[in-house]
Amino acid sequence: MVCLGLFLGWRIRHKNEDAIWLWGISIVCEFWFTFSWLLDQLPKLCPLDRATDLVVLKEKFETATFNNPTGKSDLPGIDVFVSTSNTKKKPSFVIANTILSILAADYPVEKLSCYVSDDGGSLLTFENPESYFNLKKYSYKNRVHTDFVNDRRRVREEIKTMKQRIEVAGDDPVESISKATWMANGTHWPGTWINPSSEHTEDDHAGVIQLSSSKVGLLPIILPLSMVVSLIKLKPPSDEPLFGNNEEDTPLDFTNIDIRLPMLVYVSRQKHPDYHHNEKAGAMNALVRASAIMSNGPFILNLDYGHCQGVDSMGGMLGYALQSRLRKPLLSHSIRGDKFGNSSFLIASIPVVELQGRLADHPAVKYGRQPGILTSAPRELVDASTIAEALSVISCWYEDETEWGQRVGWIYGSMIEDTVTGCRMHNRGWKSVYCVTKPDAFGAIAPRNLAERLHQVFRWATGSVEIFFSRNNALLASSRMKILRRVAYLNVGIYPFTSIFLVVYCFLPALSLLIGQFIVQTLNVTFLMYLLLITLTLCTLSIFETMWSAQRDGSSSWMLTLCSKIAHRCLTVVAALPDWMSAGGPPSFYALGYRSVVHGFRLPFEYTLFFTYKRFYAV
Ligand SMILES: O=c1ccn([C@@H]2O[C@H](COP(=O)(O)OP(=O)(O)O[C@H]3O[C@H](CO)[C@@H](O)[C@H](O)[C@H]3O)[C@@H](O)[C@H]2O)c(=O)[nH]1
Ligand SMILES: [Mn+2]
């Protein structure tokens, strides 16, 4: 900050009298860059690193006490929401992995429900796990128990036969799926048809809810999942362990293994051309209501279609949420976080906040999800009338003349609904914690190519500009919004504007060549020294951040860690440069143009790609 201050001071005192306008433009840009750098840095002040003590968590909630003589888990229920939309772009096997990671979580099965929202409303396309099973030599060989090798062989055979069964259904496997718009029970699929006809397209179809325990219903719907289901013989969970036996017709031996799995629900909300579906925010709100009727877990965890989670993450996160209920400290605090270098991490942590409170307004859930309520009573069975009721709350007119999306649930009106919703929650005094777990709690898929990445940053920038020009602008937030958090939100709303200054500033050298004038009168030593000083300071800052994160990892040879991390960081910087140059500038620039000039025009979530690139490359 001192370097930048001195530099700017020097620049103001040494005008280029021969081209005062050029000097003026460059000074304005430099002031903006300093401002946006500050906005980036401030939220990183006072980093706090917390970790849940899982042993204490288990001790508190899963040991026999006077109030809980059986020692059955007393942990609260969690409803996990996974969203998917376009199955062409989002392979169904990816979401199958996400769902598997949830079903495999180290959390009492009877307390966990997994809701899959499919905005495509489609029978997911079949993509088989052949590539994994076709590997001639796989890396586990000689390193794992022979049981695993044998099980793997059996699963491979099972999948082969399943594939054959699918191929027998028609010459072309894809063709056979298109006929599967008729479900196995002889009724037609209420959602999107492969050959769409009226009321069976992606934007116009009835609501669908399918429960994993009604196995027959699920089988034709999610094919990769159906494999999983048929392989492990899904059972509706009760709070008593259920041991498998080998008599059943399964390829795996489940003797003495608890075969219960969490409740798995497939939801595709109703769509109608007359109603805006509000993308992911709309899908999440439908799930909030449907789940309130079906399981009403006091906590919600929201994952995207490709966010796999680690086995311990649920307990890890609950540790934060339940902290106030425990006398023995559950959290260890230490300063210095790991994830420096990207201020958006603060914002990215926001969806992890416990999303409780009165979100549901349906009579069946009159009291909503009461804050902090612990559901120790066993969950009631879900019957046909419950499903009918859940179907009614995912209809598209359900939100008519209600406050859903305005004040209740996920907030509508921006493409980055996670940020707006987080902002509104903080604004109302919700607390959030930045969750750092070891190993990482979640793994996600990054965009696979430049076009996808540009599409994503364009969408984010559009969302940011939408926020900036709305009442959700951080400057208008209530006094409950903490100051650094306000700065972080402000940064999210303001960063696309940097693109204007970037484009102008990058243009100046070319202009200088043409007119023979530069932003300074002469390239004197002081100017160059300042540039060098600023560059060196930034590098040092980077090294410090790396050192802190190396220390945090508690590595015994932290020098070695440091060296490898510095090398890694250098590589990252080099690799990120093209990304920064392509993504940081033009997409934000366009987003800004669209939002400010063509205000009120809504860009479709998925089709921004077409919009950007036609223009981008034309220019
Ligand atoms: O109409 C829609 C559009 C999208 N989605 C889902 O929303 C999620 C995010 O979409 P994606 O295309 O993966 O966007 P990303 O930019 O990768 O996602 C980030 O940015 C989004 C805001 O733009 C947030 O919603 C996400 O939580 C955040 O991870 C995915 O699971 C989609 O399936 C829907 O459910 N319905
Ligand atoms: Mn994504």
Side-chain angles (χ1 to χ4, degrees), residues 369-385:
R369 291 157 194 272
Q370 289 175 351
I373 196 170
L374 296 185
T375 48
S376 47
R379 191 165 48 204
E380 281 171 36
L381 274 177
V382 174
D383 54 15
S385 71

Side-chain angles (χ1 to χ4, degrees), residues 494-521:
I494 252 178
Y495 81 87
F497 292 92
T498 306
S499 60
I500 302 176
F501 299 94
L502 261 180
V503 171
V504 171
Y505 207 69
C506 292
F507 216 67
L508 291 185
L511 202 64
S512 302
L513 282 180
L514 282 180
I515 59 171
Q517 289 290 344
F518 194 44
I519 55 172
V520 281
Q521 209 145 20

Side-chain angles (χ1 to χ4, degrees), residues 82-86 89-90 95 117-120 202 269 271 277-284 302-307 351 410 414-419 444-447 452-453 455-457 459-460 463 605-606:
V82 188
S83 58
T84 186
S85 39
N86 184 336
K89 277 204 216 137
K90 304 183 167 161
I95 189 172
S117 153
D118 179 11
D119 260 353
E202 200 168 314
R269 63 192 161 125
K271 292 259 192 79
H277 60 74
N278 291 303
E279 292 98 23
K280 186 185 156 189
M284 290 300 107
N302 172 213
L303 302 175
D304 280 359
Y305 76 104
H307 290 178
W410 266 259
S414 166
M415 298 220 160
I416 46 174
E417 76 301 316
D418 44 354
T419 309
I445 323 176
E452 262 185 35
R453 171 70 180 149
H455 171 205
Q456 186 184 46
V457 282
R459 182 157 43 76
W460 288 352
F605 196 86
E606 292 292 345

Side-chain angles (χ1 to χ4, degrees), residues 171-377:
D171 294 329
D172 176 359
V174 179
E175 189 58 29
S176 78
I177 301 293
S178 81
K179 285 172 191 156
T181 35
W182 291 88
M183 293 197 288
N185 61 10
T187 55
H188 73 68
W189 172 242
T192 313
W193 286 357
I194 303 290
N195 301 316
S197 73
S198 85
E199 294 181 14
H200 290 286
T201 65
E202 200 168 314
D203 297 316
D204 186 5
H205 65 77
V208 191
I209 293 185
Q210 298 281 331
L211 216 74
S212 63
S213 43
S214 56
K215 244 189 297 175
V216 193
L218 188 79
L219 277 172
I221 299 169
I222 309 174
L223 275 170
L225 268 187
S226 73
M227 288 176 199
V228 176
V229 172
S230 71
L231 290 174
I232 42 193
K233 294 279 177 205
L234 207 59
K235 293 273 194 294
S238 77
D239 58 357
E240 294 292 346
L242 181 70
F243 295 106
N245 54 54
N246 215 13
E247 290 156 27
E248 291 184 48
D249 154 40
T250 75
L252 303 177
D253 181 4
F254 285 116
T255 321
N256 293 332
I257 293 174
D258 186 357
I259 56 172
R260 289 173 306 156
L261 279 179
M263 178 162 94
L264 176 59
V265 188
Y266 171 93
V267 179
S268 182
R269 63 192 161 125
Q270 187 191 17
K271 292 259 192 79
H272 193 274
D274 291 350
Y275 292 86
H276 195 283
H277 60 74
N278 291 303
E279 292 98 23
K280 186 185 156 189
M284 290 300 107
N285 283 343
L287 283 193
V288 170
R289 297 190 295 264
S291 68
I293 291 169
M294 296 172 75
S295 53
N296 203 23
F299 290 91
I300 294 174
L301 169 68
N302 172 213
L303 302 175
D304 280 359
Y305 76 104
H307 290 178
C308 284
Q309 57 116 30
V311 280
D312 282 340
S313 328
M314 309 257 183
M317 280 176 302
L318 272 187
Y320 300 102
L322 300 174
Q323 168 70 357
S324 58
R325 318 190 128 257
L326 305 179
R327 244 174 274 122
K328 194 166 170 185
L330 195 62
L331 303 179
S332 55
H333 299 263
S334 66
I335 33 172
R336 287 172 195 158
D338 182 29
K339 314 271 184 184
F340 279 108
N342 184 346
S343 65
S344 74
F345 272 115
L346 181 74
I347 297 300
S349 70
I350 285 162
V352 179
V353 295
E354 43 165 335
L355 183 51
Q356 33 163 258
R358 294 185 177 200
L359 285 177
D361 64 352
H362 189 263
V365 283
K366 208 158 49 196
Y367 300 108
R369 291 157 194 272
Q370 289 175 351
I373 196 170
L374 296 185
T375 48
S376 47

Side-chain angles (χ1 to χ4, degrees), residues 136-153:
K136 287 266 164 354
K137 273 188 185 163
Y138 60 99
S139 56
Y140 302 118
K141 207 150 198 169
N142 298 332
R143 282 200 280 132
V144 293
H145 206 273
T146 47
D147 279 359
F148 176 82
V149 181
N150 294 336
D151 284 351
R152 181 183 180 278
R153 191 175 308 131

Side-chain angles (χ1 to χ4, degrees), residues 408-595:
V408 180
W410 266 259
I411 305 297
Y412 302 149
S414 166
M415 298 220 160
I416 46 174
E417 76 301 316
D418 44 354
T419 309
V420 191
T421 308
C423 180
R424 283 287 189 89
M425 290 169 79
H426 280 131
N427 205 22
R428 277 191 232 158
W430 281 79
K431 289 191 185 124
S432 67
V433 284
Y434 181 37
C435 212
V436 185
T437 59
K438 234 198 274 179
D440 287 343
F442 304 101
I445 323 176
R448 283 163 299 182
N449 49 42
L450 181 64
E452 262 185 35
R453 171 70 180 149
L454 286 171
H455 171 205
Q456 186 184 46
V457 282
F458 177 70
R459 182 157 43 76
W460 288 352
T462 312
S464 289
V465 183
E466 277 166 333
I467 292 178
F468 188 82
F469 289 115
S470 76
R471 68 195 192 94
N472 296 316
N473 186 319
L475 291 174
L476 306 177
S478 76
S479 56
R480 288 197 226 162
M481 179 76 86
K482 287 192 184 139
I483 180 78
L484 290 185
R485 191 167 286 148
R486 189 189 294 262
V487 173
Y489 278 119
L490 187 65
N491 192 20
V492 170
I494 252 178
Y495 81 87
F497 292 92
T498 306
S499 60
I500 302 176
F501 299 94
L502 261 180
V503 171
V504 171
Y505 207 69
C506 292
F507 216 67
L508 291 185
L511 202 64
S512 302
L513 282 180
L514 282 180
I515 59 171
Q517 289 290 344
F518 194 44
I519 55 172
V520 281
Q521 209 145 20
T522 50
L523 268 185
N524 68 11
V525 182
T526 336
F527 179 65
L528 293 175
M529 283 308 286
Y530 270 123
L531 289 191
L532 189 69
L533 193 64
I534 290 176
T535 316
L536 284 179
T537 326
L538 286 179
C539 292
T540 324
L541 202 67
S542 193
I543 290 179
F544 270 122
E545 289 179 356
T546 320
M547 248 169 77
W548 291 329
S549 79
Q551 274 179 355
R552 177 191 168 270
D553 284 351
S555 164
S556 50
S557 126
W558 68 270
M559 265 312 281
L560 193 71
T561 321
L562 176 61
C563 292
S564 70
K565 287 221 167 183
I566 290 177
H568 178 248
R569 182 165 273 242
C570 291
L571 279 177
T572 323
V573 168
V574 173
L577 261 182
D579 182 63
W580 178 80
M581 296 210 297
S582 54
S588 305
F589 201 57
Y590 282 112
L592 207 58
Y594 284 133
R595 268 295 129 194

